[in-house]
Amino acid sequence: TPVPRERYRIGLPQSGCYKELLNSDADCYGGSNLGNHGVVYSQEHPWMNRPVSASLTLPPLGCLVLQRVQD
């Protein structure tokens, strides 16, 4: 969709900090640089049959790749 989505909730397999490995809307790719400031923190809110979740900003026509940072 060409529309940004704010507060888009996704379920996550584990709690913790998730680093944004790729944001295809980043400035270096010619995008508008809309994202999550490089990091997303899980919340103790079960969602989509997962034990925890996170609220993300999804860029328009973009892709995000997240990786959990080990404690």
Side-chain angles (χ1 to χ4, degrees):
T1 176
V3 179
R5 304 288 179 187
E6 297 199 20
R7 296 181 303 275
Y8 188 89
R9 185 164 296 280
I10 62 167
L12 297 169
Q14 293 180 299
S15 62
C17 175
Y18 287 78
K19 181 180 176 184
E20 213 174 60
L21 295 180
L22 171 71
N23 178 349
S24 65
D25 194 55
D27 186 48
C28 64
Y29 301 122
S32 62
N33 217 27
L34 186 66
N36 302 282
H37 306 290
V39 68
V40 174
Y41 295 96
S42 68
Q43 300 163 348
E44 298 300 320
H45 184 110
W47 194 257
M48 302 168 113
N49 296 320
R50 301 291 183 163
V52 295
S53 63
S55 181
L56 306 173
T57 297
L58 300 180
L61 301 172
C63 172
L64 295 177
V65 176
L66 303 173
Q67 180 181 33
R68 185 173 176 273
V69 177
Q70 296 297 325
D71 298 330

